[in-house]
Amino acid sequence: MSGSLASTWLLTCIPGFGSIGQIPTNMLLAFLDTFGGGCAVQGMLTIGLVCGFVGALFDIYAFCSFRTQKGN
């Protein structure tokens, strides 16, 4: 998320591409504002924490599934 936000912001710094880069930057900030209750940084943290939690749950499931199959 932060990489795409940084790349669209850098696009606005290039002369002639400012208006083209401003649109995706505003769209990303609006998307992050939705998940952060009006704050883009909180939205980024919320999405990151949820993705980390889901990844941990998947790892636990895969580990338990592998142990169960190995025993048979």
Side-chain angles (χ1 to χ4, degrees), residues 34-60:
T34 302
F35 289 101
C39 181
V41 175
Q42 286 179 351
M44 197 177 306
L45 289 174
T46 301
I47 292 172
L49 287 172
V50 168
C51 288
F53 181 70
V54 170
L57 287 176
F58 179 74
D59 283 343
I60 291 169

